[in-house]
Amino acid sequence: MTTDVSGDVSAAVSLRGVRKVFGEVAAVDGVDLDVRDGEFFAMLGPSGSGKTTVLRMIAGFETPTEGSVRLGGRDVTGLAPFDRDVNTVFQDYALFPHMNVLANVEYGLKVKKVPAKERRERALQALRTVRLEGYDKRKPGQLSGGQRQRVALARALVNRPKVLLLDEPLGALDLKLREEMQVELKAIQRQIGITFLFVTHDQEEALTMSDRIAVFNAGRIEQVGTPAEVYERPASPFVAGFVGTSNLIEGQAALDILGREGVYSVRPEKLRVDTRLDAELPRDENSATGTVAEVVYAGAATRFVVDLDAGGRLVAVQQNLQASSMDVLKLRDARVRLAWRREHEFSITGPM
Ligand code: ADP
Ligand code: MG
C-alpha cells in the first residue's frame, strides 16, 4: 500500500477535498475528515448542510465531483456500494414489508450467496445483538417503531461491515424511545467494536452519544472535536449557536463588561442570577447587570432571558434547588446581576 501524505492510512474513513455539486448547488463544498477505527463519530448540522450527501459518497451511492474517499486506507472513490466494506441504516429503515424479520435480516447474505445454514445462524446472532430474539417470524408491520429500527440495524450488522453508516437512525422515534435507543446504540457499538458514523441534526444526541463530532454548516465542516471541546470551546459563532445557546457578548458590551474587544460567550448554566446588584463579587468572577425579559419555569430548572444594560441579551439557566415556581416567576422585569467565573467565558474567533 502506498502512503498518501494528505491521507491518514490508518483511518477507518478518510475524506480529502470532497465536493459534490448538484446543478448550481454545492451540497458539499470541500470536506476533509478522518474517522478513526472503532470510533462513534457524529456528523451534526442543520437540515441542508450536506450531511446525507457526505454519507452517500462514503457509501458509494453518490460520486464526488472532486476529492477522494478512502476506507481503511484504500481509495474507493470510484467503487460501487457493494464493493465497499460499509453498510447503511436509513432513517426510514427501508425494510421489505412482505418478508418476516428473519428474511429481512438474511437478505444481504442471500444476495452474497452465503449458505443457508450460516445465513440463519448469523441472522439470529444479529437479532440477539439488537435484543430482538424471538421476533424472527414477525412482519415489519407487526413491530413498533423502535423494533423496526432494530431490525434495520440487525440487517446492516449481519454483513459485519468495518464501518456502519447511520442517517438520522432515531429520527422517526418519539423522544422517550429515542433516548432509550441512544443508550442502546452506544452499548451495541461498544460490544461489537465497529466504527459507527452517524448523521444527526440533534445537538443533544450528538453530544451524548459520540466520541467525536464534526459540525457541518453549508456544505463545510466548521469544527471537529470531542463533545466537551465542541461545547466548551466552539470554534465559531455558528458552532456556539448550533451546539447550545450562543450567548454572545460582543461589540460595546464586550468593551463595557470585559474591558476588551472581540466576541465572547458564556454557557447559560455557568451564569448565576443574583438580585443583589451590589453584593461583593468573588475575585475570579465577571458580571453584567440587566433586566429580566423572560422567565421560563421548567420544573427542574428555570430559564431567564436577560437584556444587558451594556447591550445584547444572555440566557441563564438555574437549577431550582431551593426556589419554587412562585419565587422565580416574580423575577420577570426584575433588575439582576449575572455573574460567572472568568474561566467559563471564552473567545470566539472563527468565521460568522
Ligand atoms: P442534510 O443531510 O444535511 O440535510 P443534504 O446532504 O441532504 O443535507 O443536502 C445538502 C444540499 O444538497 C441541500 O441543499 C439539498 O437540497 C441538496 N441536494 C441533496 N441531494 C440532491 C440531489 N440529488 N439533487 C439536487 N440537490 C440535492
Ligand atoms: Mg439528511
Side-chain angles (χ1 to χ4, degrees):
M1 183 166 42
T2 52
T3 326
D4 176 351
V5 286
S6 67
D8 179 351
V9 284
S10 67
V13 179
S14 186
L15 305 181
R16 284 297 172 275
V18 169
R19 292 187 80 233
K20 180 68 184 181
V21 179
F22 293 110
E24 310 267 272
V25 183
V28 176
D29 199 10
V31 162
D32 295 320
L33 181 67
D34 287 304
V35 179
R36 296 171 194 143
D37 223 6
E39 219 172 8
F40 200 116
F41 193 99
M43 299 199 286
L44 170 70
S47 174
S49 59
K51 309 176 302 289
T52 292
T53 305
V54 168
L55 206 71
R56 289 174 59 81
M57 287 190 283
I58 296 168
F61 300 122
E62 302 283 357
T63 312
T65 311
E66 281 174 43
S68 68
V69 178
R70 283 166 182 271
L71 293 174
R74 171 171 171 246
D75 192 325
V76 298
T77 313
L79 295 187
F82 51 82
D83 285 329
R84 302 180 183 209
D85 207 355
V86 300
N87 272 95
T88 309
V89 177
F90 298 99
Q91 178 174 350
D92 60 5
Y93 316 145
L95 300 176
F96 300 117
H98 59 285
M99 290 186 195
N100 70 24
V101 165
L102 188 67
N104 263 284
V105 176
E106 275 187 39
Y107 183 79
L109 300 177
K110 202 168 170 180
V111 171
K112 287 189 196 157
K113 307 237 180 335
V114 173
K117 184 161 175 289
E118 183 188 344
R119 215 155 70 202
R120 176 139 315 199
E121 276 164 16
R122 279 170 64 176
L124 290 172
Q125 166 74 42
L127 285 171
R128 271 197 297 278
T129 304
V130 300
R131 298 200 298 129
L132 273 186
E133 238 170 341
Y135 286 82
D136 45 305
K137 300 287 189 303
R138 299 226 197 158
K139 295 275 175 63
Q142 299 168 307
L143 300 174
S144 70
Q147 290 167 338
R148 280 202 289 274
Q149 209 284 333
R150 285 167 214 232
V151 176
L153 190 61
R155 199 174 52 170
L157 292 176
V158 81
N159 297 306
R160 298 176 183 156
K162 286 255 170 50
V163 178
L164 191 66
L165 306 174
L166 305 110
D167 195 352
E168 311 252 5
L170 309 180
L173 307 178
D174 63 42
L175 180 64
K176 201 166 172 334
L177 196 53
R178 198 159 75 221
E179 286 173 351
E180 280 170 30
M181 281 303 292
Q182 286 172 3
V183 175
E184 209 161 299
L185 256 189
K186 182 89 189 158
I188 290 171
Q189 191 260 352
R190 230 180 261 133
Q191 182 195 330
I192 58 180
I194 68 175
T195 308
F196 274 38
L197 177 52
F198 90 111
V199 162
T200 180
H201 64 268
D202 183 324
Q203 50 124 342
E204 210 164 290
E205 189 162 290
L207 289 174
T208 52
M209 294 173 80
S210 322
D211 297 317
R212 287 193 304 152
I213 300 170
V215 184
F216 278 71
N217 180 26
R220 294 166 191 264
I221 293 176
E222 295 227 356
Q223 186 171 8
V224 178
T226 63
E229 283 164 357
V230 168
Y231 185 76
E232 289 171 10
R233 292 281 175 268
S236 68
F238 174 83
V239 175
F242 194 75
V243 187
T245 303
S246 58
N247 260 3
L248 300 184
I249 303 171
E250 56 189 327
Q252 191 58 42
L255 279 173
D256 289 358
I257 297 168
L258 307 171
R260 53 190 192 266
E261 286 184 13
V263 181
Y264 301 87
S265 185
V266 193
R267 293 303 189 183
E269 69 278 10
K270 305 295 193 216
L271 297 171
R272 185 156 49 77
V273 180
D274 203 333
T275 48
R276 298 163 305 161
L277 296 193
D278 41 32
E280 203 180 332
L281 205 63
R283 292 175 60 98
D284 62 346
E285 289 192 353
N286 271 330
S287 71
T289 53
T291 304
V292 176
E294 233 179 277
V295 180
V296 182
Y297 174 79
T302 300
R303 201 176 161 81
F304 298 89
V305 179
V306 178
D307 284 328
L308 302 179
D309 297 335
R313 57 176 27 181
L314 291 178
V315 174
V317 173
Q318 308 283 280
Q319 299 276 306
N320 294 326
L321 294 174
Q322 310 284 343
S324 69
S325 62
M326 292 291 282
D327 294 334
V328 297
L329 287 172
K330 70 180 181 221
L331 287 177
R332 198 184 305 261
D333 298 324
R335 299 279 303 146
V336 294
R337 182 168 72 179
L338 299 177
W340 62 92
R341 304 233 311 255
R342 274 188 206 112
E343 66 186 272
H344 290 147
E345 78 198 20
F346 50 86
S347 124
I348 298 174
T349 47
M352 269 311 222

